[in-house]
C-alpha cells in the first residue's frame, strides 16, 4: 500500500485519498473546519494548509511540491513518498493567521454558548491560536435567526465553513440554506418564506463546527461536559441507525448520530433525534396494578405477579390456551425470555408479533438516489428480531390473527389468557384490540398509561429503550446490540426482568422482589454512605449478553445471536488537557 509521512508519522493511503483523509485515518493532527467526509470538498477555511514535499518525477529526490507554497491538505491528493509538515513554521504561522482572522468578529460568549466544550473554534484556539487578540475595532454584529422547527442560527458565531449549506444541497437535496452577502457581511440564510424544515434538518447542528447552528431542543438545557454518552440503536423505526444517547443523572438530554458507514453513515432523521421524549413522559406507568372488584388498583409487584400467574394457570387448567403478543418495540433478548415464560406457563401457548406501525413510504435522501440515506416507513425497531426469536420457540402468528383469536366467540374460544406487551412511544391500542379484550384473562406489560390499562386484569410497568440493553434487527437484517443508558424509573422493570420474575414465581424459586437479601454496607469512601442498606436480588437478574448466549446454546436457529450480533465499540471519551483543580 502506498504511504506518506505526516509530521513524522507514516500513513498508508488508498490511491485517490487526500492527504487529510490519510492523516485522519492514522490520527495525525491536522486542524480542519470545512472538510467533512460526507460532503464535497471546498477547501475554503484554509486552516488545514501544510508544507508538502514530494519525490521529483525526474530525480526521485524529495523536493517542495507545487513550488513550495502551502497546500490545502483536504484537497491535495496523496501520492507515494510525500512528506507533509502541518507543524512546520510556515504551517503554524498560517494556522495562527487563520485563527486570528476567524476570531476577529467572533463573540467571546463561550460561557453561554451551547457548543462550549465541543467547539472546534475553542479547541483550535487553544491548540493553534494566539493567546491575545490584536483586534481593537468594533466587532460586526450579526442577527440571530429562527431557521426552522428545530434550528436557530447565531450568525455572529459562524465561520463560513458552508458545511450546513452543502448538507442541504448534497444530502437532503432540499437546498434551503445559502450564503448571502460578501466579506465580513457574509451570512448563512434561508430563502424568503422557506424554512429549514426537512426530515434530516437536525444534522446541520452536528455539522456546524462552532456554536452558530443550535438545536432548539437542547438550547441551554445542559453543559456538554456533564453529559455521558451511551451507544444506542434507533428505537423507533426499522432503520437500525446508530445513535449516541447523551444523558445526565438519569435524564436524556439529546440524541446524536453515531457513525456507521454500513447503516446510517453520519446522519439520523429528526424523528429519531427528537423521538425520545416519551421516556420522561408524565404518562409513564409507575406502579403495577390489578383489577379488584372491577376497579383498577395499584399494588406491589409480588401481588401483580401472583395474580398474573394464577390467572393464566386457571385458564390453562380449564383447557384454554395462553396467547403471548410480543411487541416489535422489544429486544430479541426480551422476546426470548417472554416466549420461554409463555411456554413454561402453557406448553401450547400461541405466540404472536405485536402490531408493526407504518407511516407513509420509505424515503431516500437525496430523493431518487438509491445509494442515499434511507428513512423507513416501518415505525418499529425489531419486528424481524422478535419474529426470528419467537419462531425458534414455535409457530408465530401475526397481530391480526392474534386479535382474531382473542375475540373469538367473545372469549369463549380456545384463548383463555393473554399476555400483551406494548412499549410504543404513544397510545397503540386499536379499536379491534379493545373490542377483542374482556373475554380472556389479560396481563398488559407496557410503558405508558392508555385506555388498554383499564381493559385488562393486571398491568406491569415496563422499561423504555434507554433503560435497557438488548439487540434489534433492522430492515436490512442486521443484528445490532446496544447498551443501557439510564436507570429504569422507580417501580418499573425491563420486560426481560419481568419475564424472569414471572418464571421464578411459576417455579416457586425466590424472586428478586420478595426474597431480596438486605446487606449492610460498611464504610467505603465515595461509594455508599456508611451503614446504608443495599438490597441485593437473589433471583436471576436480566443481563442481555447472558440471554444472547443462552439463546444460541438452546436453539441452533439462534446461533447467530452468539456470532452475528454487532456490539458497539466503546465511545472515546475526551480527556481534559488542563489540570483539574480540587476546590
Ligand atoms: S452556520 Fe456553522 S456549519 Fe454553517 S457555515 Fe456557519 S459555521 Fe459552518
Ligand atoms: S479543511 Fe482544508 S481548507 Fe478547510
Amino acid at each position: 500500500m502506498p504511504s506518506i509521512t505526516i509530521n513524522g508519522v507514516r500513513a498508508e493511503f488508498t490511491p485517490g485519498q487526500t492527504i487529510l483523509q490519510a492523516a485522519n485515518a492514522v490520527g495525525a493532527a491536522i486542524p480542519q473546519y470545512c472538510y467533512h467526509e460526507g460532503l464535497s470538498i471546498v477547501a475554503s477555511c484554509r486552516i488545514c494548509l501544510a508544507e508538502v514535499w514530494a519525490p521529483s518525477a525526474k530525480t526521485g529526490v524529495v523536493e517542495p511540491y507545487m513550488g513550495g507554497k502551502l497546500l490545502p491538505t483536504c484537497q491535495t491528493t496523496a501520492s507515494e513518498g510525500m512528506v507533509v509538515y502541518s507543524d512546520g513554521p510556515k504551517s503554524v504561522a498560517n494556522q495562527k493567521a487563520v485563527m486570528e482572522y476567524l476570531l476577529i468578529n467572533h463573540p467571546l460568549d463561550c460561557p453561554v454558548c451551547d457548543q462550549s466544550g465541543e467547539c472546534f473554534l475553542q479547541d483550535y484556539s487553544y491548540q493553534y491560536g494566539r493567546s491575545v487578540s490584536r483586534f481593537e475595532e468594533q466587532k460586526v454584529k450579526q442577527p440571530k435567526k429562527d431557521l426552522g422547527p428545530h434550528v436557530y442560527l447565531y450568525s455572529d458565531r459562524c465561520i463560513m465553513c458552508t458545511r450546513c449549506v452543502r448538507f442541504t444541497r448534497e444530502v437532503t437535496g432540499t437546498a434551503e440554506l445559502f450564503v448571502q452577502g460578501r466579506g465580513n457581511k457574509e451570512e448563512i440564510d434561508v430563502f424568503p418564506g422557506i424554512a429549514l424544515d426537512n426530515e434530516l434538518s437536525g444534522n446541520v447542528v452536528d455539522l456546524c463546527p462552532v456554536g452558530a447552528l443550535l438545536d432548539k431542543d437542547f438550547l441551554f438545557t445542559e453543559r456538554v461536559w456533564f453529559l455521558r454518552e451511551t451507544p444506542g440503536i434507533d428505537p423507533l423505526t426499522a432503520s437500525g441507525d446508530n445513535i449516541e444517547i447523551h444523558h445526565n443523572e438519569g435524564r436524556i438530554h439529546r440524541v446524536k448520530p453515531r457513525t456507521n458507514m454500513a447503516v446510517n453513515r453520519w446522519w439520523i432523521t429528526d424523528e429519531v433525534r427528537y423521538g425520545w421524549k416519551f421516556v420522561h413522559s408524565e404518562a409513564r406507568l409507575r406502579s403495577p396494578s390489578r383489577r379488584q372488584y372491577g376497579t383498577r388498583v395499584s399494588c406491589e409487584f409480588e401481588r401483580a405477579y401472583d395474580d398474573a400467574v394464577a390467572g393464566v394457570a386457571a385458564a390453562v387448567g380449564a383447557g384454554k390456551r395462553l396467547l403471548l403478543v410480543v411487541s416489535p418495540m422489544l429486544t430479541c433478548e426480551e422476546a426470548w425470555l417472554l416466549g420461554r415464560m409463555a411456554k413454561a406457563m402453557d406448553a401450547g401457548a400461541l405466540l404472536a408479533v405485536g402490531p408493526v406501525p407504518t407511516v407513509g413510504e420509505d424515503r431516500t435522501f437525496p430523493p431518487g438516489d438509491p445509494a442515499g440515506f434511507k428513512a423507513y416507513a416501518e415505525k418499529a425497531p425489531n419486528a424481524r428480531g422478535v419474529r426470528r426469536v419467537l419462531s425458534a420457540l414455535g409457530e408465530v402468528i401475526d397481530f391480526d390473527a392474534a386479535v382474531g383469536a382473542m375475540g373469538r366467540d367473545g372469549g369463549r374460544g380456545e384463548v383463555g389468557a393473554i399476555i400483551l406487551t406494548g412499549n410504543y412511544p404513544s397510545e397503540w391500542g386499536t379499536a379491534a384490540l379493545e373490542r377483542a379484550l374482556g373475554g380472556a384473562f389479560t396481563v398488559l406489560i407496557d410503558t405508558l398509561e392508555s385506555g388498554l390499562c383499564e381493559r385488562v386484569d393486571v398491568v406491569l410497568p415496563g422499561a423504555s429503550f434507554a433503560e435497557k440493553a438488548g439487540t434489534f434487527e433492522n430492515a436490512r437484517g442486521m443484528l445490532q446490540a446496544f447498551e443501557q443508558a439510564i436507570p429504569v424509573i422507580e417501580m418499573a422493570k425491563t420486560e426481560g426482568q419481568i419475564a424472569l420474575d414471572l418464571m421464578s414465581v411459576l417455579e416457586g424459586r425466590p424472586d428478586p422482589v420478595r426474597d431480596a437479601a438486605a446487606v449492610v454496607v460498611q464504610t467505603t469512601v465515595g461509594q455508599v454512605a456508611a451503614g446504608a442498606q443495599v438490597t441485593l436480588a437473589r433471583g436471576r437478574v436480566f443481563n442481555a449478553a447472558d440471554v444472547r448466549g443462552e439463546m444460541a446454546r438452546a436453539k441452533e436457529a439462534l446461533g447467530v445471536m452468539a456470532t452475528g450480533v454487532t456490539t458497539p465499540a466503546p465511545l472515546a471519551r475526551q480527556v481534559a488537557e488542563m489540570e483539574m483543580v480540587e476546590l
Side-chain angles (χ1 to χ4, degrees):
M1 215 170 175
S3 66
I4 59 176
T5 308
I6 305 163
N7 301 339
V9 177
R10 184 168 172 272
E12 292 187 339
F13 65 93
T14 42
Q17 273 191 315
T18 64
I19 295 172
L20 189 63
Q21 285 165 342
N24 287 347
V26 296
I30 298 182
Q32 54 207 278
Y33 285 121
C34 64
Y35 173 77
H36 186 281
E37 255 182 296
L39 302 173
S40 60
I41 294 169
V42 289
S44 62
C45 74
R46 315 308 280 179
I47 191 121
C48 73
L49 266 52
E51 272 179 76
V52 181
W53 296 56
S56 154
K58 287 186 191 149
T59 63
V61 175
V62 173
E63 58 186 31
Y65 188 57
M66 302 281 279
K69 63 182 181 178
L70 289 176
L71 292 175
T73 55
C74 63
Q75 204 177 34
T76 306
T77 309
S79 65
E80 174 64 24
M82 270 184 172
V83 181
V84 179
Y85 298 101
S86 71
D87 58 358
K90 272 166 76 178
S91 306
V92 169
N94 173 69
Q95 287 153 7
K96 287 197 184 305
V98 170
M99 284 308 302
E100 184 171 38
Y101 167 75
L102 290 176
L103 290 170
I104 281 179
N105 286 310
H106 194 87
L108 271 177
D109 60 356
C110 300
V112 294
C113 177
D114 264 4
Q115 191 85 357
S116 191
E118 54 183 11
C119 173
F120 280 75
L121 198 64
Q122 220 174 27
D123 290 349
Y124 290 168
S125 183
Y126 178 62
Q127 291 170 20
Y128 304 102
R130 295 168 183 272
S131 56
V132 291
S133 170
R134 295 184 292 171
F135 188 70
E136 291 172 354
E137 316 301 320
Q138 282 290 316
K139 288 180 187 259
V140 174
K141 296 266 189 300
Q142 301 270 32
K144 295 182 176 61
K145 291 176 191 163
D146 187 348
L147 296 187
H150 301 298
V151 182
Y152 280 131
L153 169 66
Y154 281 41
S155 301
D156 270 349
R157 300 175 184 161
C158 175
I159 59 165
M160 280 297 153
C161 70
T162 70
R163 280 181 175 196
C164 54
V165 175
R166 281 176 281 149
F167 177 80
T168 60
R169 292 182 185 178
E170 297 164 13
V171 180
T172 62
T174 47
E176 298 101 330
L177 297 176
F178 73 110
V179 179
Q180 76 127 338
R182 288 290 180 270
N184 66 0
K185 296 289 167 49
E186 236 181 3
E187 55 182 291
I188 299 297
D189 211 341
V190 283
F191 290 98
I194 300 174
L196 175 63
D197 188 9
N198 61 64
E199 287 94 327
L200 303 181
S201 70
N203 291 288
V204 297
V205 176
D206 305 331
L207 280 171
C208 185
V210 298
L213 291 171
L214 296 172
D215 190 334
K216 288 182 181 178
D217 199 62
F218 182 65
L219 193 70
F220 305 139
T221 58
E222 187 65 291
R223 301 315 321 229
V224 298
W225 49 86
F226 292 132
L227 294 174
R228 295 282 170 273
E229 299 94 27
T230 304
I233 300 296
D234 166 10
L236 301 172
T237 79
S239 72
D241 287 354
N242 288 209
I243 58 172
E244 283 177 19
I245 301 171
H246 291 194
H247 53 94
N248 183 28
E249 296 185 340
R251 282 198 81 79
I252 299 175
H253 287 280
R254 63 181 182 181
V255 164
K256 293 224 170 225
R258 183 161 52 92
T259 304
N260 184 330
M261 297 309 288
V263 189
N264 52 306
R265 295 184 242 178
W266 308 269
W267 327 119
I268 52 171
T269 58
D270 290 352
E271 180 183 18
V272 175
R273 187 182 296 270
Y274 303 114
W276 51 267
K277 302 294 170 58
F278 73 98
V279 171
H280 303 300
S281 165
E282 288 293 310
R284 280 290 298 272
L285 287 166
R286 285 165 195 277
S287 167
S289 61
R290 55 190 287 274
R291 195 148 294 284
Q292 184 172 296
Y293 304 118
T295 308
R296 183 179 162 210
V297 292
S298 294
C299 62
E300 297 291 321
F301 263 101
E302 296 98 311
R303 188 68 197 266
Y305 285 159
D306 287 344
D307 273 19
V309 169
V312 174
V316 173
K320 305 270 183 147
R321 294 177 80 181
L322 167 64
L323 167 65
L324 169 70
V325 179
V326 181
S327 165
M329 309 304 287
L330 299 187
T331 64
C332 293
E333 293 83 349
E334 290 172 324
W336 169 257
L337 291 175
L338 287 163
R340 271 194 49 219
M341 173 203 73
K343 290 292 182 184
M345 289 173 158
D346 172 15
L350 278 169
L351 305 178
V353 180
V356 182
T358 55
V359 178
E361 292 183 350
D362 292 353
R363 300 195 53 197
T364 51
F365 298 91
D369 179 358
F373 176 86
K374 196 165 179 182
Y376 286 82
E378 188 176 314
K379 304 303 178 195
N382 197 32
R384 286 156 196 79
V386 167
R387 184 171 289 276
R388 178 196 288 268
V389 171
L390 293 185
S391 297
L393 291 166
E395 192 199 343
V396 181
I397 57 175
D398 66 21
F399 185 64
D400 289 343
V403 171
M406 289 175 203
R408 199 178 300 155
D409 304 327
R412 294 191 301 278
E414 62 173 344
V415 171
I418 302 164
I419 297 180
L420 265 184
T421 56
N423 217 315
Y424 294 86
S426 57
E427 193 148 344
W428 61 279
T430 60
L433 174 62
E434 295 213 6
R435 273 197 308 276
L437 294 176
F441 174 82
T442 306
V443 178
L444 172 67
I445 309 173
D446 210 345
T447 43
L448 296 176
E449 190 68 52
S450 70
L452 285 178
C453 298
E454 300 299 328
R455 314 252 326 141
V456 301
D457 298 282
V458 176
V459 178
L460 296 168
S464 71
F465 68 91
E467 298 159 340
K468 61 177 79 161
T471 305
F472 288 152
E473 180 172 351
N474 71 359
R476 302 175 210 209
M478 300 168 78
L479 287 157
Q480 301 182 99
F482 58 93
E483 294 172 9
Q484 179 178 358
I486 56 175
V488 185
I489 58 167
E490 214 174 333
M491 287 302 283
K493 290 174 183 239
T494 63
E495 283 79 346
Q497 187 63 57
I498 289 173
L500 285 170
D501 292 355
L502 283 168
M503 279 192 272
S504 295
V505 174
L506 197 66
E507 293 162 9
R509 284 190 280 124
D511 73 78
V513 178
R514 193 176 357 228
D515 297 295
V519 173
V520 177
V521 174
Q522 300 304 320
T523 308
T524 315
V525 176
Q527 297 284 313
V528 184
Q533 281 211 329
V534 170
T535 305
L536 298 180
R538 268 203 266 147
R540 188 175 159 194
V541 175
F542 175 65
N543 179 306
D546 288 351
V547 177
R548 284 198 291 276
E550 177 187 314
M551 277 191 259
R553 284 190 299 277
K555 299 283 178 186
E556 207 180 326
L558 295 180
V560 69
M561 300 306 295
T563 56
V565 176
T566 311
T567 49
L571 297 176
R573 286 201 62 76
Q574 194 169 353
V575 181
E577 290 180 352
M578 290 181 220
E579 195 187 343
M580 294 293 288
V581 179
E582 289 287 340
L583 296 175

